[in-house]
Amino acid sequence: MAVYNYDVVVIGTGPAGESAAVNAAKHGKRVAVIEAQSSVGGNCTHKGTIPSKALRHAVKQIIEFNTNRMFRDIGEPRWFSFPKVLERSRRTIEQQVEMRTRFYARNRIDVFFGTARFKDEHTVVVRDAHEGVEELHVEKVVIATGSRPYRPADVNFRHPRIYCSDTILGLSHTPRTLIIYGAGVIGSEYASIFSGLGVKVDLIDTRDRLLSFLDNEISDALSYHLRNNGVLVRHNEEYDRIEGDESGVVVHLKSGKKLRADAFLWANGRTGNTDSLGLENVGLQANGRGQLTVDDQYRTELDHVYAVGDVIGWPSLASAAYDQGRFASANLLGEEFKFVNEVPTGIYTIPEISSVGRGESELTEARIPYEVGQAFFKDTARAQITGDTVGMLKILFHRDTLEILGIHCFGDQASEIVHIGQAIMQQKGEANTLKYFVNTTFNYPTMAEAYRVAAMNGLNRLF
């Protein structure tokens, strides 16, 4: 058995693990990373963010082709199979893996492929697929193992027509009908993707409205457009049992309803990848969702063991995970760091959603006197040119100080547009004001111009 010594060992090569490892290496530490899959990138690259967003982009292009009047001169609407569209996303994965592999080589970070397990507080054992064993002695450890879909024991995921959000990426046919259980971010995104391919989708929501953490108006807009695209949303429902047969899946709901479809996608919750880490050998314990508890320095109960990314829970976003890894690494190096507690929301439905700051109900409950400025995409020249006229930008601001309190966007490029508002909200004092958008010249025509329109709309509401 080979034995190695390192200053820092990072378990997991997703966004959190990568940024932690690279930051430590750039500061002269001897660093190793451990990845359970056969190539770097973690679940973000292979099973989550990258494949699903690449898939979404391909579907959006298909929708544009089939609905754009100009393309009608070329030919009739085209139908694309799910496997064909999925193949396009795999090319993106390959590009990501190639690029991230270079990051580790360039920074002289050793990469071990296999399952990591704590032997003791300063020893991590790596067992590869061929039962080869290597032992890493380490001063500091960063756990960045990510998460996987929660899979309840009473659902038979071995059935060929029952999928989770990981295994759906291996779907080898295009179902005519699909039931998605769980209307969170992942469920809503896949509902958009499959309905965009012409699949009849039933989206089962265990709550009374979609994505209740969003501003109410944005949540309502998502509900409307999903329904408009053929998704049947069923609120306040829970499954009683799920049965698969040779031709499809039957879902029995506790309300007495019975639904049948060609395939079933479970998208209700995730659990941290901690069960194989041997946490009991170092006195650590995960919660019921497999997540580790950390302090505001990303330290676990052991001062030299840190945890970042999905494995610690909220906000479970690739963007936040990258920063968490970098800041945890900075902390273990004794440098200045920031705890990530304010992040923009990016939801890649069709159309997409993004927000930062507080929503209307939140401000009303806090009794903060706010006003609303709105800009509808259908009224902007850029959206009229591109044909992406669905959507709106909403600015919430204080009536008296004009301080921006929240930015909410629904529509094409929402996750890009929101960053302009986020940048102003991050300014201190009077620099964070609605006046910035009124007094700043924006390129024309652009989607950014919506900020000026929304700001003027908001000012007109004041008296």
Side-chain angles (χ1 to χ4, degrees):
M1 177 175 63
V3 179
Y4 304 88
N5 293 290
Y6 292 98
D7 299 313
V8 179
V9 164
V10 180
I11 307 175
T13 63
E18 178 187 294
S19 60
V22 171
N23 188 62
K26 287 186 179 299
H27 286 80
K29 300 299 181 181
R30 190 177 183 210
V31 182
V33 296
I34 305 169
E35 174 54 55
Q37 301 184 73
S38 58
S39 54
V40 299
N43 288 336
C44 172
T45 297
H46 297 279
K47 299 177 181 179
T49 302
I50 297 303
S52 65
K53 276 51 177 181
L55 186 63
R56 173 200 178 272
H57 178 70
V59 171
K60 186 174 180 297
Q61 288 181 309
I62 293 170
I63 294 172
E64 182 179 358
F65 178 85
N66 286 335
T67 57
N68 191 305
R69 291 182 181 178
M70 183 180 69
F71 292 139
R72 293 286 59 76
D73 295 334
I74 299 174
E76 293 302 312
R78 295 291 189 268
W79 181 84
F80 292 83
S81 69
F82 182 81
K84 183 72 173 178
V85 178
L86 190 62
E87 182 61 34
R88 177 63 185 85
S89 71
R90 294 196 178 103
R91 297 174 193 169
T92 306
I93 294 172
E94 292 167 2
Q95 291 174 325
Q96 286 283 308
V97 170
E98 182 181 348
M99 177 183 69
R100 300 190 182 288
T101 299
R102 287 199 303 269
F103 291 163
Y104 294 111
R106 186 184 306 152
N107 289 282
R108 298 184 179 181
I109 298 170
D110 293 339
V111 181
F112 293 86
F113 293 104
T115 303
R117 186 176 181 84
F118 282 102
K119 180 179 179 180
D120 56 48
E121 291 187 4
H122 288 279
T123 307
V124 178
V125 174
V126 184
R127 187 179 300 275
D128 65 27
H130 307 290
E131 296 302 312
V133 178
E134 293 168 301
E135 193 169 281
L136 314 184
H137 292 173
V138 59
E139 292 296 318
K140 306 279 188 178
V141 179
V142 179
I143 300 173
T145 46
S147 65
R148 64 183 184 274
Y150 167 68
R151 292 166 58 147
D154 61 346
V155 178
N156 180 18
F157 288 96
R158 293 188 302 275
H159 191 279
R161 292 180 179 267
I162 296 177
Y163 302 87
C164 68
S165 56
D166 279 359
T167 58
I168 196 69
L169 295 172
L171 181 64
S172 59
H173 68 286
T174 306
R176 292 171 300 172
T177 56
L178 174 70
I179 297 170
I180 300 177
Y181 189 87
V185 172
I186 295 173
S188 295
E189 288 181 349
Y190 273 109
S192 288
I193 289 169
F194 278 100
S195 64
L197 288 172
V199 178
K200 180 182 176 183
V201 177
D202 278 272
L203 180 61
I204 302 175
D205 186 8
T206 59
R207 286 168 276 192
D208 59 358
R209 73 183 182 92
L210 289 179
L211 305 180
S212 56
F213 59 87
L214 292 175
D215 180 86
N216 289 352
E217 192 171 10
I218 302 298
S219 175
D220 290 344
L222 175 62
S223 296
Y224 170 80
H225 285 284
L226 282 176
R227 289 191 173 98
N228 193 50
N229 291 326
V231 177
L232 179 56
V233 184
R234 301 176 183 268
H235 294 294
N236 296 312
E237 298 280 9
E238 292 184 19
Y239 79 96
D240 180 54
R241 66 185 188 278
I242 298 166
E243 300 172 338
D245 55 37
E246 291 182 1
S247 59
V249 180
V250 178
V251 178
H252 299 263
L253 300 175
K254 290 183 178 179
S255 65
K257 298 184 185 72
K258 187 165 67 172
L259 311 178
R260 183 177 183 84
D262 294 339
F264 174 87
L265 170 59
W266 176 273
N268 197 41
R270 297 184 68 81
T271 184
N273 294 322
T274 53
D275 44 322
S276 63
L277 286 175
L279 296 178
E280 65 278 4
N281 295 332
V282 292
L284 294 176
Q285 185 174 1
N287 64 18
R289 283 193 167 271
Q291 298 165 347
L292 292 169
T293 301
V294 296
D295 61 15
D296 60 3
Q297 299 179 51
Y298 297 106
R299 293 181 304 190
T300 64
E301 288 89 339
L302 296 175
D303 286 347
H304 71 288
V305 178
Y306 296 71
V308 287
D310 281 15
V311 79
I312 66 173
W314 185 92
S316 295
L317 295 170
S319 55
Y322 189 89
D323 287 339
Q324 289 171 343
R326 182 161 55 91
F327 295 145
S329 181
N331 180 47
L332 66 84
L333 293 168
E335 299 184 335
E336 276 191 43
F337 74 98
K338 172 187 174 185
F339 188 80
V340 179
N341 55 15
E342 294 181 6
V343 296
T345 297
I347 301 170
Y348 296 87
T349 46
I350 303 173
E352 65 191 61
I353 297 169
S354 195
S355 64
V356 63
R358 289 177 281 185
E360 288 199 59
S361 59
E362 203 175 347
L363 293 171
T364 300
E365 187 176 343
R367 298 182 179 275
I368 296 174
Y370 74 92
E371 195 47 88
V372 183
Q374 295 176 322
F376 294 94
F377 287 5
K378 65 182 178 62
D379 299 324
T380 64
R382 184 62 177 266
Q384 291 169 358
I385 291 168
T386 63
D388 294 305
T389 54
V390 171
M392 65 173 291
L393 172 68
K394 180 161 75 170
I395 303 176
L396 306 181
F397 62 96
H398 197 287
R399 288 188 58 91
D400 302 324
T401 65
L402 302 185
E403 176 190 0
I404 299 170
L405 305 170
I407 303 288
H408 304 274
C409 191
F410 177 79
D412 186 53
Q413 300 183 63
S415 58
E416 302 282 355
I417 295 168
V418 75
H419 290 138
I420 300 171
Q422 179 190 26
I424 302 306
M425 288 179 67
Q426 291 295 316
Q427 305 307 304
K428 303 297 183 183
E430 294 183 1
N432 174 14
T433 173
L434 195 71
K435 291 180 180 178
Y436 173 85
F437 300 121
V438 176
N439 299 327
T440 298
T441 301
F442 290 90
N443 279 331
Y444 177 86
T446 60
M447 294 307 297
E449 181 202 1
Y451 277 99
R452 178 182 57 80
V453 175
M456 295 298 293
N457 176 264
L459 289 178
N460 288 338
R461 296 179 188 273
L462 299 178
F463 56 88

